[in-house]
Structures are given as structure tokens and as C-alpha cells.
Amino acid sequence: MALTLKAMNYFTTALRHGNIAKAAAELNIAASAISTAIDQVEAEFDLTLVSRQRARGIQANASGRDVAQKCERLLDEYRSMLVEGADLKQSLSGTLRIGYYAPIAPAFLPQILDTFVPNGSDVVFELEECDNDQAQNGLIDGTYDVIVFVAQDVRPSVTYDTLIAAPPYCVLPSNHALAPQATISMAQISCEPLVVLNRPMAASYYEGLFEPGMRQAPIVAYANSTEMVRSLVAAGRGLAILNMRPLTSETYSGAQVVERPISDALPPLTLAIGYSKSRPRRLVLDFVQACCEYFACPNTQHCILND
């Protein structure tokens, strides 16, 4: 039995919701039609692709996610064919799943999305914050269509484009004695209590910026979010080192921090965009292009500090 576009649409909608009833409500059809479509897809591949749990809905296994990704590509191409000749932006449709390990992503991702997808278009964005390993694993297993991540220790199977190299900078309370300086040295930072961003890959990177035996003051706090690090610094707990900065110096607490470049020559972190370069969907390509154009713009330098 040939697999129909309708069955593929029902199948991918069900997996997107993780719930047969919700998929049926979106498509305005009976729940039994969704179940039948899932059965048809599994029969066509002679594989179990979905686990059904009464209380927890449905969940795709690795094979199911792979099949769903391929189905979405076919559906995307089919929709594009139907609107051939129409404006490109108006032809964009479907779901774009974005995993990001970029602590200040909320400062730039909404702006990037606005540049290529107009309001009211038939596009759904699923954005999920994760750590660097989760982002890469999610791209490999099909959980994400595209990832924004740090290109350090990249998996061999992950293909990506570089967006920007972000050098480390120092975050200080606004009333700190070092705040009036134009730049801060690592020797000066080593004498101050330190607040560390405790995320996979990040903590070891920041530790590696200090030469052995250089740090004289202790680490006073670890925090797993950039905003908590900034708020602790604003409260006078210590200094911090970060790589990308938000558009404001005001923290969630209302207190201010200041950011200063570090005068030492230090390795940057490279922000990259990862995606499958083997026949990617149009929506993925447009998002990649929008990201590359955004970070190529000189105005994007507000995200980083240079000497």
C-alpha cells in the first residue's frame, strides 16, 4: 500500500502534538483517522515508530523521528509546489524546531525570525533551550531541525556554519572600583571573587582562561543561567566572565552591571548554526540565511565586546 500525503500529514501532526486527540482537533477529523494513519506509516516501513501510552499520549522513537523528518520534507516540497509562482515568504509553512545553547538567544532570535517570516504566516516555531551536548544530539536524532550552539567539541556528524566569534569579557557591579577602567586584565580578575556560569562546556572554558596558580580569590557561586550570574554580580557577590551580552545592563533585580573587555589575548567562543546540509527544507535554509545575515551586520557587535 502506497503511503499517501494525507497519512504523512496526519502522522507528523500527531507527533508534533504528542497527542492523537489534539492532532485530530487541529485537523478537524476523527481521532480514529489519526490512529489509522500512524498504523499505515508503521506498516509501510514495517517498523514500530510510535509508543502509545494512555496517560501520556504518544511518543516517537528514534526511527519515528527520522521518518517524521523525511515526511515533513516531502510535505514541505509538496506545499511549495502548490504555491509555485507565489511570493516566497508567503509560501513558507510547517514547523521549525530550533534547539539553542546561547544564553542570550532571547535577545536576537525573535528579531531573526521576524526578518524572514511575516506575522500571520503558516509557520510554527518550537524553540527549546538546551546545553551544547543536547543541542548536537537533538540535531543528530531529528529532535531539532536546526541548532544554534557553541562550535567547541563538535560531533563529527554535525555540519554547521559559523555565525560569530565572541571573546570573553568581564561583568562587574556598577559601583566596583574597577568599573571606571576601559579594560580589565585577567590578573585583576584573579584577585576578585568569581561567579561562574555552570553549564556543560562553559565552566571548564572559563576555568581554562586562568593560567595555573593564577587565581588568588575563590569561586563564590556557580549558576546555570546567564541572568542569575549577572544578578549575583550586580548584588556584589563577585565578578564574572561571559562571552555574549544582552542589550541592557539592567538585571532582573533592577540593579546594574557594567561590561568591560578583557585586555589579555584569550580564545573566543564560536557561535554556530548547525543543520543538515543534505537536502534541507526551505524553511531551514531561510532561517540559516537570516541568522548569517544578522550576525554579518555591524550592528550585531552589540552582542560582543572587543578591545
Side-chain angles (χ1 to χ4, degrees):
M1 178 178 63
L3 190 59
T4 65
L5 290 169
K6 180 184 292 185
M8 287 191 286
N9 185 34
Y10 291 1
F11 177 74
T12 56
T13 303
L15 294 196
R16 172 159 51 84
H17 284 288
N19 185 283
I20 290 176
K22 290 181 180 179
E26 177 182 321
L27 297 170
N28 196 27
I29 59 174
S32 58
I34 300 289
S35 295
T36 299
I38 294 173
D39 292 339
Q40 289 174 348
V41 176
E42 289 184 325
E44 184 67 21
F45 290 93
D46 195 24
L47 290 170
T48 298
L49 304 174
V50 175
S51 62
R52 296 170 172 86
Q53 299 175 347
R54 185 179 298 275
R56 299 174 59 187
I58 62 172
Q59 185 173 7
N61 57 28
S63 296
R65 290 191 294 267
D66 186 51
V67 169
Q69 188 177 43
K70 290 179 170 60
C71 287
E72 286 185 337
R73 289 175 183 167
L74 288 172
L75 290 168
D76 189 60
E77 291 178 4
Y78 174 70
R79 296 186 188 106
S80 296
M81 181 187 68
L82 293 181
V83 296
E84 186 174 357
D87 182 81
L88 177 60
K89 288 185 178 180
Q90 298 302 323
S91 72
L92 292 175
S93 61
T95 300
L96 184 63
R97 298 178 296 265
I98 304 169
Y100 62 91
Y101 175 62
I104 68 158
F108 59 79
L109 274 183
Q111 300 176 49
I112 291 173
L113 299 181
D114 279 346
T115 63
F116 77 101
V117 177
N119 290 332
S121 61
D122 187 22
V123 176
V124 176
F125 296 109
E126 294 182 0
L127 296 95
E128 183 173 341
E129 184 174 4
C130 49
D131 65 42
N132 222 43
D133 289 334
Q134 291 170 336
Q136 294 182 71
N137 291 337
L139 181 65
I140 292 169
D141 68 23
T143 301
Y144 307 125
D145 299 308
V146 61
I147 59 173
V148 180
F149 74 118
V150 174
Q152 261 77 10
D153 299 324
V154 182
R155 306 276 195 281
S157 58
V158 172
T159 54
Y160 65 94
D161 295 333
T162 297
L163 295 175
I164 196 168
Y169 67 90
C170 183
V171 189
L172 310 90
S174 59
N175 60 354
H176 195 278
L178 296 176
Q181 296 185 188
T183 63
I184 308 294
S185 70
M186 288 298 293
Q188 290 173 312
I189 296 172
S190 69
C191 297
E192 301 286 337
L194 197 65
V195 179
V196 175
L197 179 62
N198 191 26
R199 298 291 297 271
M201 189 275 304
S204 59
Y205 164 77
Y206 294 124
E207 178 68 24
L209 298 179
F210 292 93
E211 295 180 3
M214 180 183 190
R215 195 170 65 237
Q216 301 175 35
I219 294 175
V220 293
Y222 291 92
N224 67 357
S225 77
T226 296
E227 190 49 45
M228 181 58 74
V229 168
R230 297 173 75 248
S231 293
L232 288 169
V233 169
R237 290 289 179 180
L239 308 189
I241 301 175
L242 296 173
N243 290 79
M244 297 186 71
R245 59 177 182 154
L247 303 181
T248 177
S249 293
E250 184 174 333
T251 65
Y252 281 1
S253 66
Q256 300 283 326
V257 294
V258 296
E259 300 101 351
R260 295 291 182 263
I262 298 174
S263 56
D264 303 65
L266 300 171
L269 287 181
T270 301
L271 188 68
I273 184 163
Y275 62 104
S276 171
K277 297 189 178 184
S278 175
R279 299 184 64 221
R281 295 163 55 207
R282 175 180 292 178
L283 193 54
V284 171
L285 283 179
D286 282 11
F287 175 68
V288 170
Q289 181 178 354
C291 287
C292 291
E293 290 176 351
Y294 177 87
F295 284 100
C297 177
N299 291 338
T300 306
Q301 299 305 311
H302 60 235
C303 292
I304 64 172
L305 283 176
N306 291 303
D307 284 347

